[in-house]
Amino acid sequence: MKTFYKGFKMKKLFLIPFCMVLFMPIWAEVQYGSRPVNTTQDVPTLDFSKTDFIRSVQDTLRTSGVGEAISLYDTLPEAYVEDVDLLVIKASLYISASKLNDAKSVCNGIIAKDPSNEDALELLLYIARCQNDSRSESKLIKQLLAADQYNVSANMALGYSSFANKNYKQARLYYQKALVKEDKNEDALFGLGQADYYLGAKDSKMDKECETVFKKLIEVNPNNSLAYSYLGKLAAAGNKYKIASDYVQKAIELEPNNYNYCLDYGMFESYLGHLDNAVASWTKAIELQPDYFLAYAYRGGLYDERGQDELAIQDYKQLLRCNPDYYYAWESIGVLEIHRKNWTAARQAFMKCYEMDKTSNVSYPLMVTYCYYMEGDKINAKSFSDKVLRKMDRNSIDYAMLRVWHDESGEMPLPQKISTITDSKKKGKMWFYLGLFYDMFGGGEFASENYSKLLAMNSPMIFEYRMAEWRVGQIQLNSEDKSLSKVSN
């Protein structure tokens, strides 16, 4: 999740209007005397109160919006037009209104009079990041750190950049420096916890550090849903799915319409075997973001595992609507349509796969050819396979297998060639396709024998493994039916 480094009392912009957060500390400090009055300017004897003006700006911001709040500056007495406290608030209002150049102009005016004004420098740093002005950003960070090596805004900016560049160790150091001055800074705690989480992928010792940080973040703000979410991820990484589920459920209670939380909750519930809860959670995610593909992939995969082929196919098609490049969904559709013996639909699905990957996976042209044969369309089966064969290496096992399919004969050298393959995944695929050859052209016993060689390799990550299970089961069932038929006769 995108966070913004916390400078002059900044919060996450998606939680509280930027300008309100910025000037509330000024108001409090002016009102209660903790902030010194600017003695470089004359204090007028007018019936005017800075505290009342700030309160008026806040009220207008809440009721009428940032534009009306900015317009109140037109009513300022002349003696207060250059008041630094009020100018900082004005700059923050411009930022909230996305008038970054106006905000920059105000801040530069403050800096012209007071080059070390921390508030203005931090606002300029924020503006530089928003405008992708890396040169100004770097200059401002150096200026702030020269005055104070633990400056929160500067260290948060460096932490954010380091994290974006996946330099998690460096990001961690910057967030720790930001916490020296503000040990309850939520953004710095979150950044530190997130850096620890990613470092934990290589060093499990960091998981404990990560857990400690996010638990502290919850102490600081018991309503921080992200902290609960990451604690859930940590628990899941340790296979503690009940704890993970409870944490993310708390995150959902705090933020019910968070897509990612719904995804995670569904995943953890599925690991616990609470499949209906998983489906319900992913369905909620789909309702929240119907045009994003991931929840369809999760829910479709679960429907697939449960044997709910039609529902799985529907989800895979929705996935492809959202993400047409995810051609593995076509692969899943093709496998399920074969299971349903919808040969034309299966061929069309595998043809989509082949069109998107014509070189690296021989499975796709083999499956297209297979479907043509099963449709009873030998002409197109041979025409299609011939076009593919012309582009293949004649010395490859891929060519040899598809050539045998095209010719419907000549399988004898294949077992020897398959036996010499060192890549176990490739070898398993080839045993499957040799079995499928016998399945198509006679030889059920040989088909089952070759399928079993793949199954013995225990490689369920390839779709051929699943099809081999189906075919072996069907062959055995057919054999039992024949035996029963003979007994009854």
Side-chain angles (χ1 to χ4, degrees), residues 116-128:
S116 62
N117 187 286
E118 185 177 309
D119 297 339
L121 289 171
E122 289 178 344
L123 287 174
L124 285 171
L125 176 57
Y126 176 78
I127 293 166

Side-chain angles (χ1 to χ4, degrees), residues 166 191 365:
K166 299 183 179 181

Side-chain angles (χ1 to χ4, degrees), residues 373 378 382 403-411 437 441:
Y373 277 128
K378 281 192 176 185
K382 294 180 182 296
R403 179 86 259 171
V404 165
W405 282 35
H406 176 274
D407 296 344
E408 301 181 49
S409 62
E411 73 278 9
F437 168 81
F441 303 116

Side-chain angles (χ1 to χ4, degrees), residues 126-415:
Y126 176 78
I127 293 166
R129 176 168 285 278
C130 289
Q131 295 183 329
N132 295 316
D133 184 353
S134 57
R135 180 176 296 180
S136 295
E137 184 180 358
S138 179
K139 180 181 177 182
L140 288 160
I141 289 172
K142 289 178 181 177
Q143 191 172 349
L144 286 164
L145 291 178
D148 178 5
Q149 64 172 316
Y150 297 109
N151 179 276
V152 178
S153 285
N155 280 295
M156 288 296 290
L158 290 170
Y160 180 87
S161 296
S162 298
F163 188 90
N165 291 324
K166 299 183 179 181
N167 189 345
Y168 305 125
K169 285 186 178 180
Q170 194 64 49
R172 188 174 193 272
L173 293 174
Y174 288 129
Y175 291 132
Q176 286 177 320
K177 290 182 73 174
L179 287 164
V180 169
K181 291 189 72 173
E182 294 185 16
D183 64 340
K184 294 182 179 180
N185 183 308
E186 288 186 52
D187 291 338
L189 284 169
F190 175 74
L192 177 60
Q194 196 178 37
D196 287 345
Y197 176 79
Y198 283 99
L199 287 170
K202 293 184 178 179
D203 182 0
S204 60
K205 294 178 183 178
M206 295 306 298
D207 284 350
K208 190 63 179 176
E209 296 286 336
C210 181
E211 183 180 9
T212 300
V213 173
F214 282 121
K215 284 185 175 179
K216 181 176 180 180
L217 180 52
I218 289 173
E219 290 177 9
V220 173
N221 179 8
N223 294 322
N224 191 305
S225 65
L226 277 168
Y228 289 106
S229 170
Y230 270 89
L231 286 170
K233 293 177 188 293
L234 277 174
N239 299 320
K240 300 174 182 177
Y241 296 115
K242 178 60 171 68
I243 296 173
S245 180
D246 290 343
Y247 271 129
V248 78
Q249 193 169 23
K250 178 63 177 176
I252 291 172
E253 288 173 10
L254 294 167
E255 201 174 335
N257 294 327
N258 186 297
Y259 182 89
N260 290 321
Y261 299 167
C262 291
L263 285 184
D264 286 348
Y265 183 67
M267 184 65 69
F268 303 153
E269 286 292 286
S270 72
Y271 289 145
L272 290 168
H274 305 159
L275 303 186
D276 290 339
N277 287 350
V279 167
S281 190
W282 291 328
T283 300
K284 172 71 178 297
I286 288 168
E287 291 170 356
L288 291 171
Q289 293 190 35
D291 293 327
Y292 190 61
F293 76 98
L294 205 50
Y296 292 112
Y298 288 168
R299 192 177 70 173
L302 183 52
Y303 284 145
D304 198 338
E305 289 177 15
R306 296 174 84 175
Q308 296 173 284
D309 293 358
E310 182 60 38
L311 291 175
I313 289 170
Q314 289 176 14
D315 270 357
Y316 290 143
K317 287 182 177 179
Q318 287 296 320
L319 185 163
L320 288 161
R321 174 184 64 81
C322 302
N323 186 357
D325 294 332
Y326 196 89
Y327 67 87
Y328 291 110
W330 283 118
E331 183 180 288
S332 296
I333 291 171
V335 171
L336 289 175
E337 294 291 14
I338 283 176
H339 191 223
R340 287 147 48 101
K341 299 185 179 180
N342 293 336
W343 308 114
T344 301
R347 171 175 54 78
Q348 291 169 344
F350 279 113
M351 184 66 81
K352 288 282 188 181
C353 295
Y354 175 66
E355 288 170 354
M356 300 177 81
D357 181 7
K358 290 189 174 182
T359 58
S360 66
N361 197 337
V362 71
S363 297
Y364 300 146
L366 283 165
M367 293 310 299
V368 170
T369 304
Y370 169 69
C371 290
Y372 270 129
Y373 277 128
M374 297 308 291
E375 289 176 270
D377 189 353
K378 281 192 176 185
I379 293 175
N380 276 312
K382 294 180 182 296
S383 174
F384 170 77
S385 56
D386 179 66
K387 290 176 183 177
V388 176
L389 285 166
R390 294 183 190 189
K391 300 175 183 178
M392 295 176 73
D393 176 4
R394 288 176 174 264
N395 295 317
S396 68
I397 185 68
D398 295 352
Y399 178 91
M401 183 64 70
L402 187 56
R403 179 86 259 171
V404 165
W405 282 35
H406 176 274
D407 296 344
E408 301 181 49
S409 62
E411 73 278 9
M412 286 308 294
L414 280 174

